């Protein structure tokens, strides 16, 4: 399949017929987890839901093996004594105990020493699930040494209805898919939402003006404005790390190139200048952009500077690599090795990479702000869904998204 066909297919995907509304999908693990840290989350006093949320967060990360609390052989409570020898027989290296009333309090116990190695108090919050996610972030960082990214958001697009009578919703939900909120709704396709670095704005492309345009939506005020409305296709917006610019893909006279647009005044500058299809830009730094191009015959990832110049190819494994998502030294992408499309993650320095999904039509990867997980769109059970994989490929789960056809996920940066 050539890249021109893929590009047209992505656009067509937004206007194709979709299935009717379906019920929430249960979050589930689709692969085993080996060589992970054994941990037990004991039932919390007060609100038992918090412990279940933390457990689900850890499950999704691919870093832990969850030990059944029934194996503790005793009741474990915050601040209460426990039988260490019996607890060790459970196989858990760490145990989390806690209580939630208005405040959520958690402690982490090392079963080798019996020491309470960390304790955290999460203040009250209207979204009680966020309190548990915040606790999971702190515990994750203590044990793994990587900042947690459970208390973040995802944006995505839901299409409902049948061809000719569809509605499209731009959604924002917690990173685990819960607490979904409609940001805006249109009867015209919405594509490629992208978060600003401060998590206040979403850029996206849409046909609301009966022509493709790039919009910026203020998530606080609800206001939106058109940033770019040129003849041709205006799409795939990506924020610069400092939030001052958007890289976009613009088709001008049947040629698709990467441009950079000043967010404040709309000033536009062309970055790539070749006869290939250059699209799907992502910022590696304030001066470097990685993008998809078929200049070598098939889609691969290339790197260039904002100042322009010839792109340098950076992917060589697989006959198709596209849709880059970048966090620090990791690059998520869609890869084909000749049979279907999967999500891969590459180390930008070593160029070593591995696939982390197992679907046949996976697309639109977006890395978590710590690079430890990736959300992507996939097709399973005859419908389009969102899934999350850990960067080590040990855990893969579907998110509980309600509505029609879910696509184009974007993981937020860390929240203020």
């Amino acid at each position: 399949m050539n890249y021109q066909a893929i590009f047209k297919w992505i656009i067509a995907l937004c206007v194709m017929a979709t299935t009717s509304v379906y019920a929430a999908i249960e979050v589930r693990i689709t692969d085993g987890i080996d060589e992970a840290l054994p941990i037990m989350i004991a039932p919390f006093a007060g609100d038992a839901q918090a412990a279940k949320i933390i457990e689900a967060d850890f499950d999704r990360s691919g870093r832990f093996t969850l030990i059944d609390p029934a194996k503790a052989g005793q009741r474990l409570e915050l601040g209460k004594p426990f039988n260490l020898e019996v607890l060790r027989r459970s196989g858990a290296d760490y145990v989390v105990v806690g209580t939630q009333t208005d405040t959520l309090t958690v402690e982490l116990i090392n079963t080798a020493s019996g020491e309470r190695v960390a304790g955290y108090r999460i203040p009250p919050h209207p979204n009680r699930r966020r309190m548990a996610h915040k606790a999971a972030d702190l515990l994750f960082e203590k044990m793994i040494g990587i900042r947690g990214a459970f208390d973040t958001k995802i944006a995505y697009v839901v299409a409902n209805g049948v061809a000719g009578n569809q509605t499209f919703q731009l959604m924002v939900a917690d990173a685990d898919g819960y607490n979904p909120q409609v940001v805006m709704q249109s009867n015209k396709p919405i594509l490629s939402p992208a978060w600003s670095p401060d998590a206040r704005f979403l850029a996206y492309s849409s046909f609301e003006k009966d022509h493709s345009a790039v919009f910026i939506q203020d998530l606080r005020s609800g206001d939106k404005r058109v940033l770019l409305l040129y003849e041709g296709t205006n799409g795939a917006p990506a924020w610069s790390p400092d939030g001052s610019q958007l890289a976009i893909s613009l088709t001008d006279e049947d040629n698709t190139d990467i441009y950079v647009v000043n967010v404040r005044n709309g000033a536009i500058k062309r970055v790539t200048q070749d006869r290939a299809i250059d699209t799907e830009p992502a910022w590696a730094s304030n001066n470097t952009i990685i993008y998809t191009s078929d200049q070598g015959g098939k889609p691969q990832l290339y790197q260039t500077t904002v100042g322009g110049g010839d792109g340098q190819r950076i992917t060589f494994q697989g006959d198709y690599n596209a849709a880059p998502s970048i966090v620090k030294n990791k690059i998520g992408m869609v890869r084909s090795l000749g049979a279907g499309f999967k999500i891969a993650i590459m180390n930008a320095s070593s160029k070593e990479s591995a696939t982390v999904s197992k679907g046949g039509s996976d697309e639109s990867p977006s890395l978590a702000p710590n690079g430890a997980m990736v959300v992507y769109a996939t097709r399973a059970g005859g419908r389009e869904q969102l899934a999350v994989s850990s960067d080590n490929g040990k855990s893969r789960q579907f998110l509980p998204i309600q509505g029609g056809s879910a696509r184009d996920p974007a993981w937020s940066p860390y929240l203020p």
Side-chain angles (χ1 to χ4, degrees):
M1 180 177 291
N2 63 44
Y3 189 49
Q4 180 72 49
I6 289 290
F7 185 81
K8 292 180 179 178
W9 177 77
I10 292 172
I11 298 297
L13 190 64
C14 289
V15 295
M16 66 183 287
T18 58
T19 56
S20 59
V21 174
Y22 54 84
I25 305 164
E26 290 297 322
V27 177
R28 58 188 176 89
I29 298 177
T30 56
D31 199 14
I33 303 176
D34 300 320
E35 300 179 1
L37 186 64
I39 188 168
M40 178 186 297
I41 315 295
F44 289 3
D47 186 351
Q49 186 67 14
K52 295 179 181 178
I53 295 169
I54 294 172
E55 185 176 83
D57 285 345
F58 286 173
D59 224 351
R60 201 163 53 256
S61 75
R63 262 51 176 202
F64 301 95
T65 296
L66 295 169
I67 305 298
D68 186 350
K71 294 183 177 180
Q74 58 197 296
R75 183 176 177 85
L76 299 173
E77 296 183 83
L78 186 72
K80 298 292 182 65
F82 53 89
N83 187 317
L84 183 58
E85 291 301 320
V86 173
L87 185 57
R88 284 174 179 160
R89 295 188 202 124
S90 70
D93 287 355
Y94 289 94
V95 174
V96 177
V97 293
T99 182
Q100 183 171 24
T101 52
D102 291 334
T103 299
L104 173 60
T105 304
V106 296
E107 286 186 348
L108 182 66
I109 300 169
N110 184 319
T111 59
S113 64
E115 179 186 2
R116 298 178 187 269
V117 295
Y120 306 103
R121 295 175 66 87
I122 311 301
H125 192 280
N127 181 349
R128 290 175 68 86
R129 294 186 65 88
R130 280 199 66 184
M131 296 171 65
H133 293 317
K134 288 175 183 291
D137 281 346
L138 294 167
L139 293 164
F140 183 87
E141 184 170 11
K142 180 66 178 180
M143 289 180 284
I144 306 300
I146 302 171
R147 183 178 179 183
F150 306 116
D151 181 35
T152 50
K153 301 281 187 180
I154 55 169
Y156 56 97
V157 177
V158 170
N160 287 294
V162 296
N165 190 32
Q166 285 183 302
T167 58
F168 300 86
Q169 294 176 319
L170 178 59
M171 308 290 297
V172 169
D174 294 348
D176 59 358
Y178 288 85
N179 294 316
Q181 304 291 325
V182 178
V183 174
M184 60 85 62
Q185 182 169 301
S186 175
N187 60 0
K188 299 296 179 65
I190 302 169
L191 302 95
S192 308
W195 291 88
S196 64
D198 61 2
R200 176 174 175 175
F201 301 96
L202 282 174
Y204 63 93
S205 56
S206 177
F207 291 81
E208 294 172 63
K209 299 291 185 180
D210 293 323
H211 179 75
S212 68
V214 174
F215 293 79
I216 294 180
Q217 179 87 33
D218 189 326
L219 296 177
R220 292 184 193 169
S221 68
D223 295 336
K224 67 178 179 181
R225 63 185 176 95
V226 177
L227 177 69
L228 197 66
L229 181 58
Y230 276 74
E231 290 297 327
T233 301
N234 305 264
W239 293 84
S240 62
D242 65 5
S244 67
Q245 302 178 92
L246 279 173
I248 58 99
S249 174
L250 174 60
T251 302
D252 181 20
E253 297 180 354
D254 297 324
N255 193 53
T256 303
D257 280 298
I258 305 301
Y259 291 73
V260 168
V261 187
N262 185 295
V263 172
R264 179 172 296 180
N265 59 25
I268 186 168
K269 175 185 177 181
R270 188 171 181 173
V271 175
T272 64
Q273 301 188 46
D274 54 57
R275 299 304 302 173
I277 298 176
D278 300 333
T279 187
E280 300 173 329
W283 295 77
S285 69
N286 270 330
N287 191 51
T288 305
I289 292 175
I290 293 174
Y291 60 99
T292 306
S293 178
D294 67 349
Q295 60 189 269
K298 292 184 178 181
Q300 295 291 342
L301 299 188
Y302 288 75
Q303 177 177 295
T304 190
T305 64
V306 175
D310 295 335
Q312 177 186 1
R313 182 172 168 178
I314 62 171
T315 52
F316 296 92
Q317 182 179 348
D319 55 13
Y320 178 106
N321 289 283
S325 173
I326 304 169
V327 170
K328 295 182 180 179
N329 203 42
K330 293 181 180 179
I331 305 175
M333 67 194 76
V334 178
R335 168 170 293 170
S336 175
L337 297 170
F341 296 89
K342 296 177 172 58
I343 306 303
I345 296 178
M346 182 177 78
N347 182 298
S349 298
S350 67
K351 299 300 189 290
E352 294 180 354
S353 63
T355 56
V356 298
S357 72
K358 289 190 174 181
S361 56
D362 302 334
E363 61 181 25
S364 303
S366 182
L367 287 166
N370 62 359
M373 294 176 287
V374 59
V375 63
Y376 57 95
T378 188
R379 191 168 184 86
R383 60 196 180 202
E384 292 172 273
Q385 306 179 32
L386 301 185
V388 170
S389 174
S390 58
D391 66 335
N392 58 16
K394 298 294 186 179
S395 176
R396 284 177 288 273
Q397 302 178 7
F398 293 113
L399 295 183
I401 305 298
Q402 297 187 35
S405 175
R407 57 183 69 141
D408 280 2
W411 210 310
S412 79
Y414 288 110
L415 303 176

